[in-house]
Amino acid sequence: MGFLEKLGRLDRRWIFLLIAVSVTIPLMLQRPAPVKPSPIVRNLYTAIDALPPGSKLLLSLDYGPSTVPENDPMAHAIARHALSKDLKLYVMTIWATGPPLISNLFETVIIPGFPNKTYGEDYLNLGYKVGNQGLIQSLTSDFRNQYTQDVGWGDIAARPVGQIPMMSTIRTIKDFDFIAGIGSGQPGLKEWVQFAGDPTGTPVGGGVTAVEAPLLYPYYPTQLVGLLGGLAGAAEYEALLVENHPEFGEAAQVALIRMFPQTVAHLVIVSFVLLGNISYFAQRGRRRK
Amino acid sequence: MKRTIPILITAVVGGLLIAAYFVPAPFLASADRLIPDFFNIIAAFAFVLGGGNLLRVHLTKISRRDHEWIYSVVTVAGFLVMLFAGLLKLGTGEGGAFHWTYDLADGRLLYDALYQSVFTPCQATMFSLLAFFVASASYRAFRAKTPEATVLLIAAFVILIGRTFVGGWLTAWIPEPFSEYLHIPNLSAWIMSFPNLAGQRTIQMGIALGIISNSLRLILGIERSHLGGGD
Amino acid sequence: MDWSTVQLWVGALLTLMIFSFLYKDNPFYKFAEHLFVGVSAAYWMVQGFWQQIVPNLLAKLAPGSFENIIEAARGQQPELVYIIPLILGLILLTRLIPSIAWFSRWSMAFIIGYTAGSNLPRYLVSDFIKQVEKTLALPLVATHADNWLQWIMYSVSNLVVFGGVICGLVYFYFSKEHTGAFGRASRAGIWVLMVAFGASFGYTVMARISLLIGRLEFLGSWIRSFT
């Protein structure tokens, strides 16, 4: 058996090992990758950046632990951006797995990064409700009927929405100035476009996992202001944020650091495909002779 | 009772919602507010149904001592511990009894502790296994056997390299104005925004037409296979 | 040992158990898999109960009984209209009792009616009409550009979208034989779809690697906790 044939019959566990090594070693270096923002990411950044202080931004964390490495950096970057621009940040989720991710956002980004902001006046935890797109549809007609109270935070107990300053002007989804959906499937950003953005005219943007990102391009730019596609999209948003807000430092460069092992793994997979094809064509050529 | 009433319910609910979308009448606006509201609540009961079904299947497996029934014991034990921890809002600290007003994502609850230590690592690791399988599949099955497959392969290569900083380095030598399109990251963005958009839009429009026609068939009672037998 | 350490260790061991599947299927993997199934089913059930059934159903039907748990229920009047989803929800659970399982069809009919009725106009508007509009509104000859190359590329790009959508739709049209000009358009449609699938493949690979990075970061934090 020739070398190329052996290559074609390589035990898949060697491939697994190579992938693990190609991710682990660059990850240990903890170096942010140099990333250049693409137009679709820049559009989202510009749209949020252009909102006047006091504008109401609804951030929906519609994902679970399985896609946290891709989605968390997006949600965290948008939350940082919104609060640094003095926007009012309303956080919710239409995924049952979302509430702990909201807690994590508060614990790791908002509380340490924005100690001068007040819960209930600058940011709010609305939590989770069941219903998928049904929930979004309910919010377009009566927000308060679904969210009768907030979730509270830490020792701050839940309060009826009538007692929360940030909720005084919210009746339906139309009262928000921007909807940012961070999603990893259905229901997610697509449903925010179909059930909230298109019927009410409220601008929608956000980020999704790389698996879903190509499917949402037909909505861009009129139905979807901008889109962060996977870890690379999150890294591009972080690059813009760090460029304009260097005070955020390394804490705001999670996706940028992950893009380094990501790049190495891409190169390894591209090499695998090339090797696989070389082996295939070499064997086919030999068989024809 | 078994078929006629469900067909009527589907027709009335679906018909009202479609009418509410296009006709601005107060009666229809109320329907448009209440029906999704009711749906959200019934969906919550579906979660209970899912849990109940799982319990029934695994208890049956245990009682029959089916193949690998011991793993069903693990499933049932995990289910019951998580269920009671959540429903009773048990705390993890001292005097950890029932914290009725705590949010479920509160770190002081056993429910959240189980979410963080069992649910999160299991779900995240299951999905991360796919990284290995996608690499193995790329190596073994991704062949440029036909012109169409070659187009697919080239597009994938440009995207894979273009979404990283290496793509920028490899084509840094291309002069202006050509670099605006031939620089690999720019080429990758172009592929996504134009040919990919065209392909995805085609598929999206096809799916939309399928959903529209199927929804109409359901509302008009033409499609009844989901109802099963009986009158 | 405090709770966070216990959580870290349990999480790390379950992660390793699942990764062990990469070598081959084994009892450790099966244990973690079955535990996950049980825990996640209960997770969803509890979320449904506390986040929806209690505040949006029970607290609306009997606010007085729930005002100590749901603050928003304090001083509210019962909303009896919510008896309807309560009945439909309970009917759904009859599926667990084989002799009366057919009753659950009524609730299923409501769910299907809602899904069909809400999806139809929204898919029609967002995924069909607006897409047709956006495709037809593209100027096939660019009206503004900074240089000649940009002018050519703007025009070509718009042509790729316009022609790509038309050819892609031709490929999916099966009521006419794909021969002659129609066949050539259909073939062009396949190429456009192949580029889209290639992009999807590239993005899928990207997504999977990102998830692995997340898990390895977690294992790294576990190993660092030894020191």
PDB file of all heavy atoms in Angstrom, chain A residues 94-96 128-132, chain B residues 40-53 79, chain C residues 41-49 52-53 92-93:
ATOM      1  N   ILE A  94     -36.274  34.130  24.769  1.00  0.00           N
ATOM      2  CA  ILE A  94     -37.410  33.294  24.379  1.00  0.00           C
ATOM      3  C   ILE A  94     -36.983  31.824  24.368  1.00  0.00           C
ATOM      4  O   ILE A  94     -37.677  30.980  23.832  1.00  0.00           O
ATOM      5  CB  ILE A  94     -38.023  33.727  23.022  1.00  0.00           C
ATOM      6  CG1 ILE A  94     -36.949  33.849  21.927  1.00  0.00           C
ATOM      7  CG2 ILE A  94     -38.757  35.029  23.153  1.00  0.00           C
ATOM      8  CD1 ILE A  94     -37.519  34.141  20.544  1.00  0.00           C
ATOM      9  N   TRP A  95     -35.811  31.563  24.940  1.00  0.00           N
ATOM     10  CA  TRP A  95     -35.336  30.181  25.080  1.00  0.00           C
ATOM     11  C   TRP A  95     -35.311  29.818  26.566  1.00  0.00           C
ATOM     12  O   TRP A  95     -34.812  30.608  27.386  1.00  0.00           O
ATOM     13  CB  TRP A  95     -33.912  30.051  24.514  1.00  0.00           C
ATOM     14  CG  TRP A  95     -33.891  29.765  23.050  1.00  0.00           C
ATOM     15  CD1 TRP A  95     -34.645  30.382  22.087  1.00  0.00           C
ATOM     16  CD2 TRP A  95     -33.082  28.797  22.374  1.00  0.00           C
ATOM     17  NE1 TRP A  95     -34.352  29.871  20.854  1.00  0.00           N
ATOM     18  CE2 TRP A  95     -33.398  28.897  20.993  1.00  0.00           C
ATOM     19  CE3 TRP A  95     -32.134  27.880  22.782  1.00  0.00           C
ATOM     20  CZ2 TRP A  95     -32.787  28.089  20.046  1.00  0.00           C
ATOM     21  CZ3 TRP A  95     -31.518  27.090  21.821  1.00  0.00           C
ATOM     22  CH2 TRP A  95     -31.855  27.188  20.471  1.00  0.00           C
ATOM     23  N   ALA A  96     -35.776  28.619  26.893  1.00  0.00           N
ATOM     24  CA  ALA A  96     -35.795  28.189  28.298  1.00  0.00           C
ATOM     25  C   ALA A  96     -34.388  28.135  28.883  1.00  0.00           C
ATOM     26  O   ALA A  96     -34.209  28.270  30.095  1.00  0.00           O
ATOM     27  CB  ALA A  96     -36.456  26.823  28.406  1.00  0.00           C
ATOM     28  N   TYR A 128     -37.540  34.874  31.113  1.00  0.00           N
ATOM     29  CA  TYR A 128     -38.029  33.966  30.063  1.00  0.00           C
ATOM     30  C   TYR A 128     -39.530  33.747  30.165  1.00  0.00           C
ATOM     31  O   TYR A 128     -40.080  33.688  31.262  1.00  0.00           O
ATOM     32  CB  TYR A 128     -37.316  32.620  30.207  1.00  0.00           C
ATOM     33  CG  TYR A 128     -37.941  31.482  29.437  1.00  0.00           C
ATOM     34  CD1 TYR A 128     -37.903  31.460  28.046  1.00  0.00           C
ATOM     35  CD2 TYR A 128     -38.561  30.425  30.092  1.00  0.00           C
ATOM     36  CE1 TYR A 128     -38.474  30.418  27.330  1.00  0.00           C
ATOM     37  CE2 TYR A 128     -39.127  29.369  29.385  1.00  0.00           C
ATOM     38  CZ  TYR A 128     -39.084  29.382  28.007  1.00  0.00           C
ATOM     39  OH  TYR A 128     -39.656  28.338  27.306  1.00  0.00           O
ATOM     40  N   LYS A 129     -40.166  33.637  29.009  1.00  0.00           N
ATOM     41  CA  LYS A 129     -41.565  33.199  28.934  1.00  0.00           C
ATOM     42  C   LYS A 129     -41.659  32.141  27.839  1.00  0.00           C
ATOM     43  O   LYS A 129     -40.943  32.220  26.836  1.00  0.00           O
ATOM     44  CB  LYS A 129     -42.487  34.366  28.552  1.00  0.00           C
ATOM     45  CG  LYS A 129     -42.550  35.468  29.579  1.00  0.00           C
ATOM     46  CD  LYS A 129     -43.441  35.105  30.732  1.00  0.00           C
ATOM     47  CE  LYS A 129     -43.384  36.158  31.816  1.00  0.00           C
ATOM     48  NZ  LYS A 129     -43.757  35.621  33.110  1.00  0.00           N
ATOM     49  N   VAL A 130     -42.565  31.205  28.025  1.00  0.00           N
ATOM     50  CA  VAL A 130     -42.752  30.147  27.027  1.00  0.00           C
ATOM     51  C   VAL A 130     -43.560  30.709  25.851  1.00  0.00           C
ATOM     52  O   VAL A 130     -44.323  31.648  26.026  1.00  0.00           O
ATOM     53  CB  VAL A 130     -43.520  28.960  27.661  1.00  0.00           C
ATOM     54  CG1 VAL A 130     -43.596  27.780  26.687  1.00  0.00           C
ATOM     55  CG2 VAL A 130     -42.849  28.517  28.948  1.00  0.00           C
ATOM     56  N   GLY A 131     -43.395  30.115  24.677  1.00  0.00           N
ATOM     57  CA  GLY A 131     -44.268  30.498  23.557  1.00  0.00           C
ATOM     58  C   GLY A 131     -43.581  30.682  22.221  1.00  0.00           C
ATOM     59  O   GLY A 131     -44.241  30.837  21.205  1.00  0.00           O
ATOM     60  N   ASN A 132     -42.264  30.710  22.208  1.00  0.00           N
ATOM     61  CA  ASN A 132     -41.530  30.889  20.946  1.00  0.00           C
ATOM     62  C   ASN A 132     -42.040  32.123  20.195  1.00  0.00           C
ATOM     63  O   ASN A 132     -42.165  33.177  20.778  1.00  0.00           O
ATOM     64  CB  ASN A 132     -41.616  29.630  20.078  1.00  0.00           C
ATOM     65  CG  ASN A 132     -40.970  28.449  20.759  1.00  0.00           C
ATOM     66  OD1 ASN A 132     -40.299  28.599  21.759  1.00  0.00           O
ATOM     67  ND2 ASN A 132     -41.162  27.260  20.220  1.00  0.00           N
TER      68      ASN A 132
ATOM     69  N   ASN B  40     -49.105  30.386  24.233  1.00  0.00           N
ATOM     70  CA  ASN B  40     -47.914  30.372  25.096  1.00  0.00           C
ATOM     71  C   ASN B  40     -48.159  29.499  26.329  1.00  0.00           C
ATOM     72  O   ASN B  40     -47.263  28.788  26.787  1.00  0.00           O
ATOM     73  CB  ASN B  40     -47.560  31.799  25.543  1.00  0.00           C
ATOM     74  CG  ASN B  40     -47.282  32.716  24.372  1.00  0.00           C
ATOM     75  OD1 ASN B  40     -46.997  32.258  23.277  1.00  0.00           O
ATOM     76  ND2 ASN B  40     -47.385  34.012  24.588  1.00  0.00           N
ATOM     77  N   ILE B  41     -49.373  29.581  26.873  1.00  0.00           N
ATOM     78  CA  ILE B  41     -49.686  28.799  28.077  1.00  0.00           C
ATOM     79  C   ILE B  41     -49.778  27.304  27.735  1.00  0.00           C
ATOM     80  O   ILE B  41     -49.225  26.460  28.444  1.00  0.00           O
ATOM     81  CB  ILE B  41     -50.987  29.324  28.720  1.00  0.00           C
ATOM     82  CG1 ILE B  41     -50.748  30.750  29.245  1.00  0.00           C
ATOM     83  CG2 ILE B  41     -51.462  28.405  29.841  1.00  0.00           C
ATOM     84  CD1 ILE B  41     -51.998  31.509  29.604  1.00  0.00           C
ATOM     85  N   ILE B  42     -50.447  27.005  26.636  1.00  0.00           N
ATOM     86  CA  ILE B  42     -50.569  25.583  26.248  1.00  0.00           C
ATOM     87  C   ILE B  42     -49.176  25.008  25.945  1.00  0.00           C
ATOM     88  O   ILE B  42     -48.891  23.851  26.261  1.00  0.00           O
ATOM     89  CB  ILE B  42     -51.516  25.424  25.029  1.00  0.00           C
ATOM     90  CG1 ILE B  42     -52.904  25.948  25.406  1.00  0.00           C
ATOM     91  CG2 ILE B  42     -51.616  23.974  24.587  1.00  0.00           C
ATOM     92  CD1 ILE B  42     -53.833  26.132  24.225  1.00  0.00           C
ATOM     93  N   ALA B  43     -48.313  25.846  25.363  1.00  0.00           N
ATOM     94  CA  ALA B  43     -46.941  25.396  25.077  1.00  0.00           C
ATOM     95  C   ALA B  43     -46.228  25.008  26.366  1.00  0.00           C
ATOM     96  O   ALA B  43     -45.421  24.059  26.380  1.00  0.00           O
ATOM     97  CB  ALA B  43     -46.175  26.488  24.344  1.00  0.00           C
ATOM     98  N   ALA B  44     -46.532  25.713  27.460  1.00  0.00           N
ATOM     99  CA  ALA B  44     -45.911  25.368  28.743  1.00  0.00           C
ATOM    100  C   ALA B  44     -46.398  23.993  29.217  1.00  0.00           C
ATOM    101  O   ALA B  44     -45.630  23.215  29.795  1.00  0.00           O
ATOM    102  CB  ALA B  44     -46.227  26.440  29.778  1.00  0.00           C
ATOM    103  N   PHE B  45     -47.673  23.691  28.951  1.00  0.00           N
ATOM    104  CA  PHE B  45     -48.185  22.362  29.300  1.00  0.00           C
ATOM    105  C   PHE B  45     -47.497  21.281  28.450  1.00  0.00           C
ATOM    106  O   PHE B  45     -47.348  20.151  28.881  1.00  0.00           O
ATOM    107  CB  PHE B  45     -49.702  22.306  29.101  1.00  0.00           C
ATOM    108  CG  PHE B  45     -50.473  22.885  30.249  1.00  0.00           C
ATOM    109  CD1 PHE B  45     -50.850  24.217  30.270  1.00  0.00           C
ATOM    110  CD2 PHE B  45     -50.814  22.088  31.341  1.00  0.00           C
ATOM    111  CE1 PHE B  45     -51.553  24.756  31.341  1.00  0.00           C
ATOM    112  CE2 PHE B  45     -51.518  22.614  32.413  1.00  0.00           C
ATOM    113  CZ  PHE B  45     -51.888  23.952  32.419  1.00  0.00           C
ATOM    114  N   ALA B  46     -47.103  21.669  27.231  1.00  0.00           N
ATOM    115  CA  ALA B  46     -46.394  20.707  26.364  1.00  0.00           C
ATOM    116  C   ALA B  46     -45.072  20.295  27.001  1.00  0.00           C
ATOM    117  O   ALA B  46     -44.625  19.151  26.844  1.00  0.00           O
ATOM    118  CB  ALA B  46     -46.163  21.317  24.987  1.00  0.00           C
ATOM    119  N   PHE B  47     -44.424  21.212  27.739  1.00  0.00           N
ATOM    120  CA  PHE B  47     -43.182  20.863  28.448  1.00  0.00           C
ATOM    121  C   PHE B  47     -43.482  19.796  29.509  1.00  0.00           C
ATOM    122  O   PHE B  47     -42.714  18.855  29.704  1.00  0.00           O
ATOM    123  CB  PHE B  47     -42.587  22.086  29.146  1.00  0.00           C
ATOM    124  CG  PHE B  47     -41.949  23.094  28.228  1.00  0.00           C
ATOM    125  CD1 PHE B  47     -41.391  24.256  28.734  1.00  0.00           C
ATOM    126  CD2 PHE B  47     -41.898  22.893  26.863  1.00  0.00           C
ATOM    127  CE1 PHE B  47     -40.791  25.184  27.907  1.00  0.00           C
ATOM    128  CE2 PHE B  47     -41.311  23.816  26.024  1.00  0.00           C
ATOM    129  CZ  PHE B  47     -40.760  24.967  26.548  1.00  0.00           C
ATOM    130  N   VAL B  48     -44.633  19.970  30.192  1.00  0.00           N
ATOM    131  CA  VAL B  48     -45.031  18.987  31.213  1.00  0.00           C
ATOM    132  C   VAL B  48     -45.303  17.647  30.538  1.00  0.00           C
ATOM    133  O   VAL B  48     -44.878  16.589  31.027  1.00  0.00           O
ATOM    134  CB  VAL B  48     -46.296  19.478  31.973  1.00  0.00           C
ATOM    135  CG1 VAL B  48     -46.717  18.478  33.029  1.00  0.00           C
ATOM    136  CG2 VAL B  48     -46.033  20.852  32.598  1.00  0.00           C
ATOM    137  N   LEU B  49     -45.976  17.701  29.400  1.00  0.00           N
ATOM    138  CA  LEU B  49     -46.262  16.475  28.650  1.00  0.00           C
ATOM    139  C   LEU B  49     -44.960  15.774  28.259  1.00  0.00           C
ATOM    140  O   LEU B  49     -44.843  14.549  28.388  1.00  0.00           O
ATOM    141  CB  LEU B  49     -47.072  16.828  27.392  1.00  0.00           C
ATOM    142  CG  LEU B  49     -47.379  15.671  26.447  1.00  0.00           C
ATOM    143  CD1 LEU B  49     -48.309  14.666  27.103  1.00  0.00           C
ATOM    144  CD2 LEU B  49     -48.012  16.188  25.152  1.00  0.00           C
ATOM    145  N   GLY B  50     -43.975  16.537  27.817  1.00  0.00           N
ATOM    146  CA  GLY B  50     -42.682  15.967  27.423  1.00  0.00           C
ATOM    147  C   GLY B  50     -42.032  15.239  28.585  1.00  0.00           C
ATOM    148  O   GLY B  50     -41.569  14.103  28.442  1.00  0.00           O
ATOM    149  N   GLY B  51     -42.020  15.899  29.744  1.00  0.00           N
ATOM    150  CA  GLY B  51     -41.429  15.280  30.931  1.00  0.00           C
ATOM    151  C   GLY B  51     -42.179  14.016  31.326  1.00  0.00           C
ATOM    152  O   GLY B  51     -41.580  12.973  31.622  1.00  0.00           O
ATOM    153  N   GLY B  52     -43.514  14.097  31.306  1.00  0.00           N
ATOM    154  CA  GLY B  52     -44.346  12.943  31.674  1.00  0.00           C
ATOM    155  C   GLY B  52     -44.106  11.767  30.741  1.00  0.00           C
ATOM    156  O   GLY B  52     -44.012  10.612  31.165  1.00  0.00           O
ATOM    157  N   ASN B  53     -43.997  12.071  29.467  1.00  0.00           N
ATOM    158  CA  ASN B  53     -43.765  11.019  28.466  1.00  0.00           C
ATOM    159  C   ASN B  53     -42.424  10.330  28.689  1.00  0.00           C
ATOM    160  O   ASN B  53     -42.314   9.110  28.614  1.00  0.00           O
ATOM    161  CB  ASN B  53     -43.791  11.671  27.082  1.00  0.00           C
ATOM    162  CG  ASN B  53     -44.625  10.876  26.119  1.00  0.00           C
ATOM    163  OD1 ASN B  53     -45.059   9.770  26.430  1.00  0.00           O
ATOM    164  ND2 ASN B  53     -44.839  11.429  24.955  1.00  0.00           N
ATOM    165  N   PHE B  79     -33.933  13.110  36.247  1.00  0.00           N
ATOM    166  CA  PHE B  79     -35.193  13.812  36.018  1.00  0.00           C
ATOM    167  C   PHE B  79     -35.851  14.209  37.340  1.00  0.00           C
ATOM    168  O   PHE B  79     -36.220  15.368  37.547  1.00  0.00           O
ATOM    169  CB  PHE B  79     -36.129  12.916  35.207  1.00  0.00           C
ATOM    170  CG  PHE B  79     -37.488  13.502  34.957  1.00  0.00           C
ATOM    171  CD1 PHE B  79     -37.682  14.424  33.937  1.00  0.00           C
ATOM    172  CD2 PHE B  79     -38.580  13.146  35.742  1.00  0.00           C
ATOM    173  CE1 PHE B  79     -38.935  14.976  33.707  1.00  0.00           C
ATOM    174  CE2 PHE B  79     -39.835  13.695  35.515  1.00  0.00           C
ATOM    175  CZ  PHE B  79     -40.007  14.610  34.495  1.00  0.00           C
TER     176      PHE B  79
ATOM    177  N   ALA C  41     -35.057  17.254  30.471  1.00  0.00           N
ATOM    178  CA  ALA C  41     -36.535  17.189  30.406  1.00  0.00           C
ATOM    179  C   ALA C  41     -37.131  17.889  31.633  1.00  0.00           C
ATOM    180  O   ALA C  41     -38.094  18.657  31.513  1.00  0.00           O
ATOM    181  CB  ALA C  41     -36.997  15.744  30.340  1.00  0.00           C
ATOM    182  N   ALA C  42     -36.551  17.638  32.793  1.00  0.00           N
ATOM    183  CA  ALA C  42     -37.053  18.281  34.013  1.00  0.00           C
ATOM    184  C   ALA C  42     -36.778  19.779  33.982  1.00  0.00           C
ATOM    185  O   ALA C  42     -37.598  20.573  34.449  1.00  0.00           O
ATOM    186  CB  ALA C  42     -36.393  17.653  35.238  1.00  0.00           C
ATOM    187  N   TYR C  43     -35.646  20.147  33.401  1.00  0.00           N
ATOM    188  CA  TYR C  43     -35.298  21.572  33.314  1.00  0.00           C
ATOM    189  C   TYR C  43     -36.407  22.333  32.583  1.00  0.00           C
ATOM    190  O   TYR C  43     -36.911  23.351  33.048  1.00  0.00           O
ATOM    191  CB  TYR C  43     -33.958  21.747  32.589  1.00  0.00           C
ATOM    192  CG  TYR C  43     -33.577  23.195  32.412  1.00  0.00           C
ATOM    193  CD1 TYR C  43     -32.959  23.892  33.431  1.00  0.00           C
ATOM    194  CD2 TYR C  43     -33.889  23.880  31.242  1.00  0.00           C
ATOM    195  CE1 TYR C  43     -32.646  25.236  33.295  1.00  0.00           C
ATOM    196  CE2 TYR C  43     -33.585  25.219  31.091  1.00  0.00           C
ATOM    197  CZ  TYR C  43     -32.958  25.892  32.115  1.00  0.00           C
ATOM    198  OH  TYR C  43     -32.664  27.224  31.976  1.00  0.00           O
ATOM    199  N   TRP C  44     -36.807  21.787  31.424  1.00  0.00           N
ATOM    200  CA  TRP C  44     -37.832  22.448  30.609  1.00  0.00           C
ATOM    201  C   TRP C  44     -39.172  22.485  31.356  1.00  0.00           C
ATOM    202  O   TRP C  44     -39.892  23.474  31.318  1.00  0.00           O
ATOM    203  CB  TRP C  44     -37.975  21.729  29.270  1.00  0.00           C
ATOM    204  CG  TRP C  44     -37.323  22.491  28.162  1.00  0.00           C
ATOM    205  CD1 TRP C  44     -37.921  23.436  27.367  1.00  0.00           C
ATOM    206  CD2 TRP C  44     -35.960  22.422  27.724  1.00  0.00           C
ATOM    207  NE1 TRP C  44     -37.011  23.937  26.468  1.00  0.00           N
ATOM    208  CE2 TRP C  44     -35.821  23.344  26.656  1.00  0.00           C
ATOM    209  CE3 TRP C  44     -34.854  21.671  28.115  1.00  0.00           C
ATOM    210  CZ2 TRP C  44     -34.603  23.529  25.983  1.00  0.00           C
ATOM    211  CZ3 TRP C  44     -33.662  21.862  27.440  1.00  0.00           C
ATOM    212  CH2 TRP C  44     -33.537  22.785  26.392  1.00  0.00           C
ATOM    213  N   MET C  45     -39.477  21.371  32.007  1.00  0.00           N
ATOM    214  CA  MET C  45     -40.754  21.279  32.702  1.00  0.00           C
ATOM    215  C   MET C  45     -40.843  22.351  33.801  1.00  0.00           C
ATOM    216  O   MET C  45     -41.864  23.023  33.944  1.00  0.00           O
ATOM    217  CB  MET C  45     -40.838  19.881  33.328  1.00  0.00           C
ATOM    218  CG  MET C  45     -42.217  19.377  33.515  1.00  0.00           C
ATOM    219  SD  MET C  45     -42.099  17.604  33.804  1.00  0.00           S
ATOM    220  CE  MET C  45     -43.513  17.412  34.863  1.00  0.00           C
ATOM    221  N   VAL C  46     -39.772  22.497  34.551  1.00  0.00           N
ATOM    222  CA  VAL C  46     -39.750  23.475  35.645  1.00  0.00           C
ATOM    223  C   VAL C  46     -39.856  24.895  35.083  1.00  0.00           C
ATOM    224  O   VAL C  46     -40.579  25.744  35.611  1.00  0.00           O
ATOM    225  CB  VAL C  46     -38.462  23.308  36.492  1.00  0.00           C
ATOM    226  CG1 VAL C  46     -38.292  24.461  37.462  1.00  0.00           C
ATOM    227  CG2 VAL C  46     -38.494  21.984  37.231  1.00  0.00           C
ATOM    228  N   GLN C  47     -39.144  25.153  33.983  1.00  0.00           N
ATOM    229  CA  GLN C  47     -39.215  26.477  33.359  1.00  0.00           C
ATOM    230  C   GLN C  47     -40.646  26.778  32.938  1.00  0.00           C
ATOM    231  O   GLN C  47     -41.164  27.870  33.179  1.00  0.00           O
ATOM    232  CB  GLN C  47     -38.296  26.539  32.126  1.00  0.00           C
ATOM    233  CG  GLN C  47     -36.819  26.572  32.452  1.00  0.00           C
ATOM    234  CD  GLN C  47     -36.346  27.908  32.994  1.00  0.00           C
ATOM    235  OE1 GLN C  47     -36.997  28.924  32.822  1.00  0.00           O
ATOM    236  NE2 GLN C  47     -35.230  27.901  33.706  1.00  0.00           N
ATOM    237  N   GLY C  48     -41.289  25.804  32.292  1.00  0.00           N
ATOM    238  CA  GLY C  48     -42.673  25.989  31.847  1.00  0.00           C
ATOM    239  C   GLY C  48     -43.584  26.286  33.020  1.00  0.00           C
ATOM    240  O   GLY C  48     -44.472  27.142  32.944  1.00  0.00           O
ATOM    241  N   PHE C  49     -43.359  25.590  34.137  1.00  0.00           N
ATOM    242  CA  PHE C  49     -44.213  25.762  35.307  1.00  0.00           C
ATOM    243  C   PHE C  49     -44.006  27.131  35.949  1.00  0.00           C
ATOM    244  O   PHE C  49     -44.952  27.890  36.113  1.00  0.00           O
ATOM    245  CB  PHE C  49     -43.925  24.643  36.322  1.00  0.00           C
ATOM    246  CG  PHE C  49     -44.777  24.741  37.562  1.00  0.00           C
ATOM    247  CD1 PHE C  49     -46.115  24.372  37.529  1.00  0.00           C
ATOM    248  CD2 PHE C  49     -44.250  25.216  38.750  1.00  0.00           C
ATOM    249  CE1 PHE C  49     -46.912  24.477  38.657  1.00  0.00           C
ATOM    250  CE2 PHE C  49     -45.034  25.318  39.887  1.00  0.00           C
ATOM    251  CZ  PHE C  49     -46.371  24.946  39.838  1.00  0.00           C
ATOM    252  N   GLN C  52     -44.209  30.373  33.175  1.00  0.00           N
ATOM    253  CA  GLN C  52     -45.430  30.649  32.402  1.00  0.00           C
ATOM    254  C   GLN C  52     -46.694  30.239  33.161  1.00  0.00           C
ATOM    255  O   GLN C  52     -47.585  31.048  33.351  1.00  0.00           O
ATOM    256  CB  GLN C  52     -45.380  29.898  31.054  1.00  0.00           C
ATOM    257  CG  GLN C  52     -46.426  30.361  30.058  1.00  0.00           C
ATOM    258  CD  GLN C  52     -46.068  31.680  29.409  1.00  0.00           C
ATOM    259  OE1 GLN C  52     -44.907  32.020  29.274  1.00  0.00           O
ATOM    260  NE2 GLN C  52     -47.058  32.454  29.005  1.00  0.00           N
ATOM    261  N   ILE C  53     -46.757  28.982  33.604  1.00  0.00           N
ATOM    262  CA  ILE C  53     -48.011  28.503  34.198  1.00  0.00           C
ATOM    263  C   ILE C  53     -48.337  29.288  35.483  1.00  0.00           C
ATOM    264  O   ILE C  53     -49.468  29.724  35.670  1.00  0.00           O
ATOM    265  CB  ILE C  53     -47.944  26.977  34.464  1.00  0.00           C
ATOM    266  CG1 ILE C  53     -47.893  26.237  33.122  1.00  0.00           C
ATOM    267  CG2 ILE C  53     -49.145  26.505  35.281  1.00  0.00           C
ATOM    268  CD1 ILE C  53     -47.723  24.738  33.212  1.00  0.00           C
ATOM    269  N   LEU C  92     -54.385  18.568  26.915  1.00  0.00           N
ATOM    270  CA  LEU C  92     -53.155  18.113  26.238  1.00  0.00           C
ATOM    271  C   LEU C  92     -52.508  16.967  27.013  1.00  0.00           C
ATOM    272  O   LEU C  92     -51.946  16.039  26.430  1.00  0.00           O
ATOM    273  CB  LEU C  92     -52.178  19.282  26.102  1.00  0.00           C
ATOM    274  CG  LEU C  92     -50.918  19.030  25.279  1.00  0.00           C
ATOM    275  CD1 LEU C  92     -51.261  18.834  23.812  1.00  0.00           C
ATOM    276  CD2 LEU C  92     -49.941  20.188  25.406  1.00  0.00           C
ATOM    277  N   LEU C  93     -52.617  17.036  28.334  1.00  0.00           N
ATOM    278  CA  LEU C  93     -51.971  16.007  29.175  1.00  0.00           C
ATOM    279  C   LEU C  93     -52.692  14.658  29.117  1.00  0.00           C
ATOM    280  O   LEU C  93     -52.148  13.648  29.574  1.00  0.00           O
ATOM    281  CB  LEU C  93     -51.878  16.487  30.626  1.00  0.00           C
ATOM    282  CG  LEU C  93     -51.070  17.767  30.842  1.00  0.00           C
ATOM    283  CD1 LEU C  93     -50.993  18.117  32.321  1.00  0.00           C
ATOM    284  CD2 LEU C  93     -49.664  17.639  30.281  1.00  0.00           C
TER     285      LEU C  93
END
